[in-house]
Amino acid sequence: MLRVLLLLLLLAVTPAWADPALWALLRDGGQIVLIRHAVTDPGVGDPPGFRLDDCRTQRNLSAAGVEEARRLGAAFRAQRVPFAQVLSSPWCRCLDTARIAFGQARADPMLGNLFTHGENTVQQQSQFQALARTPPAGGNLILVSHGATIAAFTGVSPGTGEAVIGKFDADGKFRVAGRITPP
């Protein structure tokens, strides 16, 4: 009876939208977790003349996106996933996703939007590789960015609010261990 209750409790705190083995890998730390910002107001890109220092000029999280970021953070907390550092694209939708989910974030231009600033692709990929080649001690490295940027770094095009988990192998290739897709 006690085993049944423990199993039911575990199922209650394990989100159905992620593989339990992936959560276990994350609990062990040392992974790179690239998260695409949560759902935004409708549209593609940012309005003409937007400024990174003024969220009112950008495309921002919708109410559904705020809730999506909360659910993501709640899942990571429920699964006791440690993180060593949280970095984010300087775009407000990414910073908001990171801060809502993880309670903190430091803006890093390396995670900037390659969809609208593709001229920086080689430089940003080089910076990502330099940062991510050494897995963080004491947790995971959380990187919140944009779909095009994550795709350039990993070869995976994530949906909004989706996490791509992996790390570099001995051959210098980023190996995806799995994905966490919100419901």
Side-chain angles (χ1 to χ4, degrees):
M1 180 68 164
L2 182 58
R3 285 185 190 166
V4 171
L5 289 174
L6 288 174
L7 179 60
L8 289 174
L9 179 61
L10 179 62
L11 290 173
V13 298
T14 301
W17 39 278
D19 178 1
L22 187 57
W23 287 118
L25 182 69
L26 286 168
R27 279 192 294 277
D28 289 342
Q31 299 296 311
I32 309 302
V33 181
L34 294 120
I35 300 171
R36 182 177 177 187
H37 62 77
V39 175
T40 61
D41 292 326
V44 175
D46 287 289
F50 81 95
R51 295 189 343 252
L52 288 178
D53 65 344
D54 187 354
C55 294
R56 295 171 300 171
T57 67
Q58 299 177 35
R59 188 168 48 94
N60 293 297
L61 296 183
S62 64
V66 169
E67 182 55 34
E68 187 173 66
R70 282 189 186 125
R71 285 193 320 265
L72 180 66
F76 273 66
R77 285 186 298 281
Q79 291 298 314
R80 302 176 322 281
V81 173
F83 54 89
Q85 189 174 24
V86 179
L87 300 176
S88 172
S89 163
W91 271 252
C92 295
R93 57 188 171 267
C94 295
L95 284 165
D96 289 345
T97 298
R99 290 174 178 154
I100 291 166
F102 302 102
Q104 61 177 294
R106 181 172 58 86
D108 190 317
M110 166 198 62
L111 298 167
N113 194 352
L114 289 175
F115 178 73
T116 55
H117 292 79
E119 67 276 7
N120 299 328
T121 301
V122 172
Q123 177 185 2
Q124 285 179 240
Q125 283 180 321
S126 176
Q127 292 170 339
F128 167 71
Q129 289 175 3
L131 174 69
R133 281 196 189 279
T134 305
N140 300 286
L141 176 59
I142 308 292
L143 305 173
V144 180
S145 191
H146 308 267
T149 306
I150 294 170
F153 291 170
T154 67
V156 174
S157 182
T160 56
E162 184 175 10
V164 178
I165 295 97
K167 61 184 173 181
F168 282 93
D169 64 16
D171 295 329
K173 181 165 174 42
F174 188 83
R175 299 288 181 193
V176 174
R179 296 163 75 166
I180 296 175
T181 304

